[in-house]
Structures are given as C-alpha cells and as structure tokens.
C-alpha cells in the first residue's frame, strides 16, 4: 500500500454507490489557486429534496420543494461561509459554530470540541469540516471529522488534520465508506487527490463520477491567491429551486 498515492477525484469515487457528503481542499497544479469543493448525496426522499443556493458569497442547502420537507434539522444549513481571511466548509450547521468561534478569535479545533456526530441512529453520521486560512499569497488548511466512538453513539471521537498547501495536491474527506445498513463511517486520514488548474475539468470529474441515483448537488470554488478573484461552479441535480 502506497500511503502517498495521489488519485483523481474520479478515481476516488467512481463505482462507489454512496460516499455521502464530501469535502475537498487543495491547491492547483500551477500553485496559483486555492480550491474547495463540497458535494451532497442522499438516499431518502427527504435527503434528495435539496439544492445548493448562493447568497452573499455563502453556500446554503435549501429544500427543492418546501412542501415535501419532513425534517429540516440535518439537511438545511450554511455549507460554506467566509470570515476575513478564512473560508469554512462543512456538512452541517457546525459551519455557523466555527464561524462564530473564529469571529471571537478562537480556533477551528476549539469550536468543534463543542459539537459531535449527528443524532441519526444507527448511522451516527459524522460531521466533516474544513477551513482554509489565507496568508501572504498562500494558505494552509485544516480538516476534521467528528465520529461516534462505538456502534451505540455513547461518545464522540474528534480528529483534526492540519496541512500546508502543496501545488497539485488536495485532500478529500467524506462521511461514509460506501452504502450499507447501517452506513459504514469514513475511516483513516483524508484521501490524497490531484487538483487540476481547470475548474471545469475538476467539477466534471467529481460530478460525472458520483453515483447517478444518489448525487444531489456540488459546489466548487477556485480562489486566485494573487488577486483573490473567485471562480465558482454550482450544479443541482434538481435544477432551480421550486
């Protein structure tokens, strides 16, 4: 096993029916842009009834058809927000927890000590989070996963990973290994992935290789490290919100 092996996102997800929700952070091959991506998948009608929307530079999950919403607590949230030189992306309302903590001068890891996995027994879906910190034309990033320590959800295990940015390299963390009942939780370190210069190529590689039946939405952002100019791509399987 080569622990330093780098694969494309397509190679990481192709043929996997259910990786759940996923976060990718990294730097383009030319070293000029910071990259962040977030996607969601779903098996139930409630989970699939979602779209991403953009509001004032933030990304939100919202119901596609509000009349069909069963339980909004775990599916409707701000997925990506920025504050000063930090960009936060998560798979739940811990986005706001991290945002509020860093506004108070506290850290990414401090904020997540106040949170735990989702209360959706028997799956106990992990909370995955990432944060980019821009500084002097470059950036570092952190990723986190909050998981149940056992099969009954008796307590929370918290894992945080800190990375320097390296040209062409990204890290991919997702909630599940694959489909199952209960759904097996992601294990190990975030997976190493290649980050191309072309946002269209990267977006297509993710979207086209996510399972067709279960994929819902994808958001990709490229941030120019010199100019701070943002390129972004948003895809909703359900199309525009009703």
């Amino acid at each position: 096993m080569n622990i330093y092996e780098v694969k494309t996102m397509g190679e990481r997800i192709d043929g996997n029916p259910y990786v759940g929700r996923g976060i990718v952070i990294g730097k383009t091959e030319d070293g000029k842009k910071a990259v962040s991506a977030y996607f969601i998948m779903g098996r139930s009608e409630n989970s699939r009834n979602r779209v991403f929307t953009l509001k004032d530079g933030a990304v939100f999950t919202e119901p596609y058809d509000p009349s069909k919403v069963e339980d909004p607590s775990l599916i409707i949230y701000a997925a990506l927000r920025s504050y000063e030189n930090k960009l936060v992306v998560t798979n739940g309302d811990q986005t706001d927890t991290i945002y509020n903590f860093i506004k108070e001068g506290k850290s990414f890891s401090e904020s997540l000590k106040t949170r735990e996995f989702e209360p959706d027994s028997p799956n106990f879906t992990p909370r995955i989070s990432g944060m980019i910190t821009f500084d002097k034309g470059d950036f570092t990033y952190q990723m986190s996963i909050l998981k149940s320590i056992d099969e009954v959800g008796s307590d929370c295990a918290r894992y945080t990973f800190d990375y320097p940015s390296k040209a062409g390299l990204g890290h991919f963390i997702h909630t599940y290994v694959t489909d199952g009942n209960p759904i097996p939780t992601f294990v190990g370190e975030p997976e190493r992935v290649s980050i191309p210069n072309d946002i269209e190529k990267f977006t297509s590689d993710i979207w086209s290789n996510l399972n067709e039946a279960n994929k819902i939405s994808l958001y990709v952002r490229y941030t120019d490290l010199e100019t701070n100019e943002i390129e972004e791509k948003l895809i909703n399987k359900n199309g525009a919100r009703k």
Side-chain angles (χ1 to χ4, degrees):
M1 178 181 178
N2 180 5
I3 63 171
Y4 298 112
E5 183 178 27
V6 178
K7 295 184 177 181
T8 67
M9 274 300 295
E11 290 170 333
R12 290 291 186 195
I13 60 180
D14 180 39
N16 191 330
Y18 202 60
V19 292
R21 286 166 270 177
I23 295 171
V24 186
I25 299 176
K27 181 187 271 187
T28 53
E29 290 174 320
D30 60 12
K32 294 181 179 180
K33 294 176 182 178
V35 175
S36 52
Y38 178 58
F39 65 79
I40 58 174
M41 305 178 77
R43 302 188 306 172
S44 68
E45 183 177 6
N46 189 49
S47 291
R48 290 177 175 178
N49 181 36
R50 288 183 289 175
V51 292
F52 284 171
T53 60
L54 287 168
K55 296 179 182 178
D56 300 322
V59 178
F60 293 84
T61 65
E62 294 189 346
Y64 172 61
D65 184 347
S67 69
K68 294 181 178 180
V69 173
E70 297 170 12
D71 178 9
S73 63
L74 295 178
I75 66 167
I76 309 302
Y77 52 88
L80 180 146
R81 297 183 70 178
S82 58
Y83 178 73
E84 294 183 340
N85 67 327
K86 300 183 187 299
L87 180 67
V88 177
V89 56
T90 89
N91 73 326
D93 62 11
Q94 73 269 25
T95 303
D96 291 335
T97 303
I98 298 168
Y99 178 85
N100 290 330
F101 266 66
I102 61 176
K103 282 182 68 175
E104 296 174 0
K106 297 178 182 178
S107 70
F108 178 77
S109 58
E110 281 180 297
S111 68
L112 291 169
K113 285 181 181 178
T114 70
R115 303 303 305 269
E116 62 178 29
F117 52 87
E118 296 180 2
D120 59 339
S121 176
N123 297 315
F124 301 113
T125 298
R127 291 189 185 272
I128 55 173
S129 308
M131 185 174 77
I132 297 175
T133 301
F134 296 95
D135 184 43
K136 299 176 182 177
D138 206 348
F139 68 98
T140 57
Y141 57 102
Q142 296 169 280
M143 304 184 94
S144 167
I145 184 166
L146 311 181
K147 301 169 50 174
S148 175
I149 202 165
D150 54 32
E151 69 276 9
V152 296
S154 69
D155 214 329
C156 183
R158 297 176 173 85
Y159 304 85
T160 302
F161 306 88
D162 289 76
Y163 299 104
S165 63
K166 295 293 183 182
L169 178 65
H171 288 88
F172 170 41
I173 193 167
H174 43 102
T175 51
Y176 307 122
V177 175
T178 188
D179 206 354
N181 189 23
I183 316 172
T185 295
F186 178 89
V187 293
E189 296 181 18
E191 298 163 352
R192 293 160 63 89
V193 295
S194 57
I195 306 290
N197 296 330
D198 186 349
I199 190 173
E200 296 279 1
K201 178 180 179 181
F202 189 58
T203 302
S204 176
D205 193 37
I206 299 173
W207 188 250
S208 64
N209 284 290
L210 285 170
N211 179 268
E212 183 63 34
N214 293 323
K215 66 184 180 183
I216 301 171
S217 297
L218 167 66
Y219 174 78
V220 179
R221 176 182 289 199
Y222 275 43
T223 304
D224 190 293
L225 295 171
E226 182 177 352
T227 67
N228 296 319
E229 181 181 352
I230 292 171
E231 291 179 89
E232 54 190 356
K233 297 292 179 183
L234 188 154
I235 303 174
N236 286 314
K237 186 176 181 180
N238 286 323
R241 184 182 178 188
K242 285 189 176 181

